[in-house]
Amino acid sequence: MLDREETIAALSRWNDAWNDHDLDRVMELLHDEVVFENWTGGCVTGKESLRKAWAPWFANHGGFRFTTEDLFVDEKAGKVLFRWTLDWPSGEKGREGEPERRRGVDVMHFRDGRIAEKYTYSKTTLEIGGMRAKLVAETR
């Protein structure tokens, strides 16, 4: 198990890997049996499945950048709450390519010194081109 300082250092290196758009380095901190649930509710299980799911995003990254807003580490439980800002080209319909800022939180559970569970939550209001925009859920 990682102690608090080791966890903070590992997540700092991990965030650097994200901002360098280096998928191999990002994958290093993930447990082989990782479970990832993204902000849309999509879920991927297993490190290699997650690599395949993320590969297109990294290949066409558009220069995305994550900025750490806050980090809470529960060393005894092996859990982390990571609050972040994501800056990237928008993919929202009718606003594609405009500068977008999204804020969210990752809840991460560690096992064997690696991230075994990662749950991502995003605010439903974001900024596109400096203006607030609401995400609209599709209805069926």
Side-chain angles (χ1 to χ4, degrees):
M1 183 173 331
L2 301 176
D3 67 25
R4 184 177 190 284
E5 290 74 25
E6 290 170 329
T7 302
I8 292 169
L11 288 172
S12 177
R13 289 189 305 273
W14 197 56
N15 198 60
D16 289 345
W18 278 94
N19 290 336
D20 291 342
H21 313 112
D22 187 334
L23 182 56
D24 290 333
R25 284 181 29 229
V26 166
M27 300 307 294
E28 288 174 4
L29 191 57
L30 300 178
H31 194 280
D32 288 340
E33 298 170 6
V34 66
V35 174
F36 169 65
E37 185 176 298
N38 70 18
W39 57 50
T40 69
C43 189
V44 177
T45 302
K47 188 173 180 175
E48 289 311 310
S49 294
L50 188 53
R51 176 188 294 278
K52 289 176 188 171
W54 281 349
W57 190 36
F58 276 79
N60 301 297
H61 58 76
F64 68 72
R65 293 207 46 90
F66 284 95
T67 303
T68 302
E69 289 187 20
D70 214 344
L71 184 64
F72 300 93
V73 177
D74 183 337
E75 180 180 339
K76 289 182 182 177
K79 296 179 182 179
V80 170
L81 184 81
F82 172 57
R83 190 164 50 106
W84 46 262
T85 299
L86 169 61
D87 290 288
W88 64 343
S90 183
E92 295 300 309
K93 188 175 181 178
R95 308 293 301 266
E96 294 90 345
E98 291 183 48
E100 178 182 305
R101 174 166 284 168
R102 189 177 294 230
R103 295 178 67 216
V105 171
D106 283 352
V107 178
M108 295 179 269
H109 299 212
F110 279 72
R111 186 169 65 231
D112 304 325
R114 301 267 186 265
I115 298 169
E117 298 175 40
K118 181 178 182 295
Y119 304 98
T120 298
Y121 303 91
S122 177
K123 289 185 170 264
T124 58
T125 300
L126 44 91
E127 287 181 25
I128 301 176
M131 306 283 288
R132 289 172 51 96
K134 277 199 170 289
L135 290 174
V136 179
E138 291 184 26
T139 57
R140 294 181 185 216

